[in-house]
Amino acid sequence: MSERFDFTGDELAPAYRAAVDAIEAGDLVVLPTDTVYGIAADAFKADAVQRLLDAKGRGRDMPPPVLISVVESLDALATDVPDSGRKLCEEFWPGPLTVICHAQTSLMWDLGETQGTVALRVPDHENTRELLSRTGPLAVSSANLSGQPAALDVYDAEEQLQDSVAVYLDGGTVTGGQPSTIVDITGDTPHVVRLGALTLAQLRAVVPDLTADNDKPAENDKPAEDEKPAEDEKPAENEPADDEKPAVEKPAEDEKPADDSPAEGKPAEDEKPTDEPVAASKEQDDEKKTESDVRPADQGHDS
């Protein structure tokens, strides 16, 4: 039978006690984070992790990320962390950044078919970080059935997961709502696997050479002023959209590009003409596959 506890205010002792007891018993706990609600299990109890996967209705080929309480725990769980990846963690933790790392080989855990990697995050939620400091690392996935929207309050999580969870911690409606951004730092250059609450612009302000599968500005990334056409200039019918036009070379007013080709000059690396294949100068990012060994989330739902 599930129990629900208030996870706000100052009287948190009963909630912490119930959650710690459940985790130690190998049971599941639903908790709030800064992005969405998560379903948590002891990362070092294989049966508890399997119980989490079963509750969500997902297989071992989709291992859950692991939440930790402080950035200093990174090196205890991961190895060969590049300087660029470490900079991202130091800048955005606590916060909506999940990093895929090489896992320490000495760790006795079974998160699923990870092929030696682990996805880590420090959530920007004070009470949840305090719980993590008491339980140790927790395997945490979004609190929803696989394929369903992530829960933004405890009641939605309860409706979906029901008695598969022992303890529900009610932290109110989460204010984030967007999943974390996932960055693979197992290679020489950090690579964005999923854009979420953090944008490419924010990430590249810290690591300029960071790459992404769809290497173009996110929805809320606007082109610089000198990349916008003048107000009295309109793109020809088959020219790229405003945020896709080459930043430097523009056709003269009395010159129009051919109907089926972009304006003279190559588009910048992260720009893509509407009616043409990806330019030859673009990095081969679209061909670079996400690490097949780690799919840390329902891509759009995990916390």
Side-chain angles (χ1 to χ4, degrees):
M1 189 71 177
S2 301
E3 293 183 280
R4 188 193 317 130
F5 293 86
D6 181 24
F7 205 47
T8 60
D10 298 325
E11 297 300 321
L12 298 177
Y16 285 132
R17 185 164 53 250
V20 170
D21 288 347
I23 292 297
E24 289 179 348
D27 292 327
L28 305 180
V29 172
V30 159
L31 45 74
T33 76
D34 50 323
T35 55
V36 298
Y37 268 76
I39 178 173
D42 189 334
F44 295 96
K45 287 185 169 69
D47 57 342
V49 174
Q50 185 59 54
R51 194 171 291 118
L52 183 157
L53 296 175
D54 292 342
K56 285 181 62 73
R58 68 162 37 165
R60 285 174 52 80
D61 60 329
M62 299 181 73
V66 172
L67 295 190
I68 53 180
S69 60
V70 290
V71 66
E72 288 78 13
S73 296
L74 174 64
D75 292 313
L77 302 179
T79 186
D80 300 324
V81 177
D83 289 341
S84 55
R86 194 177 300 278
K87 286 179 183 177
L88 290 172
C89 294
E90 291 171 350
E91 177 68 23
F92 296 113
W93 281 357
L97 171 71
T98 298
V99 292
I100 300 174
C101 320
H102 293 293
Q104 288 280 3
T105 56
S106 60
L107 294 175
M108 301 297 292
W109 61 10
D110 182 4
L111 300 172
E113 297 172 8
T114 65
Q115 300 297 315
T117 61
V118 62
L120 299 173
R121 183 164 94 86
V122 178
D124 190 11
H125 192 289
E126 185 177 357
N127 292 347
T128 294
R129 288 200 310 277
E130 172 61 27
L131 176 61
L132 288 163
S133 73
R134 301 181 184 208
T135 62
L138 295 179
V140 179
S141 183
S142 55
N144 57 276
L145 296 175
S146 190
Q148 297 300 310
L152 301 183
D153 61 50
V154 74
Y155 303 103
D156 188 7
E158 261 186 301
E159 184 177 349
Q160 295 191 59
L161 300 169
Q162 301 184 17
D163 287 341
S164 63
V165 172
V167 171
Y168 287 88
L169 300 178
D170 184 0
T173 301
V174 296
T175 56
Q178 282 187 293
S180 64
T181 292
I182 302 175
V183 179
D184 185 341
I185 61 172
T186 59
D188 294 333
T189 303
H191 181 78
V192 176
V193 174
R194 178 186 74 186
L195 277 174
L198 295 177
T199 67
L200 280 177
Q202 289 174 290
L203 297 169
R204 283 178 172 155
V206 179
V207 179
D209 60 347
L210 173 141
T211 62
D213 286 336
N214 296 315
D215 212 356
K216 60 183 179 181
E219 266 185 68
N220 51 352
D221 288 341
K222 296 181 179 178
E225 289 297 321
D226 61 355
E227 293 179 339
K228 296 179 181 177
E231 286 184 7
D232 56 352
E233 290 179 2
K234 296 182 179 179
E237 189 173 327
N238 289 322
E239 284 185 35
D242 287 350
D243 59 352
E244 295 171 338
K245 290 190 72 173
V248 179
E249 296 185 294
K250 300 177 182 177
E253 288 186 5
D254 56 348
E255 293 177 2
K256 294 183 179 180
D259 287 344
D260 58 351
S261 61
E264 201 173 312
K266 294 181 179 179
E269 286 184 6
D270 59 351
E271 297 165 343
K272 180 177 169 187
T274 15
D275 293 326
E276 286 294 312
V278 177
S281 62
K282 184 179 176 183
E283 296 283 342
Q284 297 289 317
D285 293 330
D286 286 342
E287 296 176 4
K288 180 173 181 181
K289 302 297 183 181
T290 303
E291 288 284 303
S292 60
D293 44 343
V294 171
R295 275 161 283 180
D298 288 348
Q299 297 287 310
H301 296 315
D302 266 357
S303 64

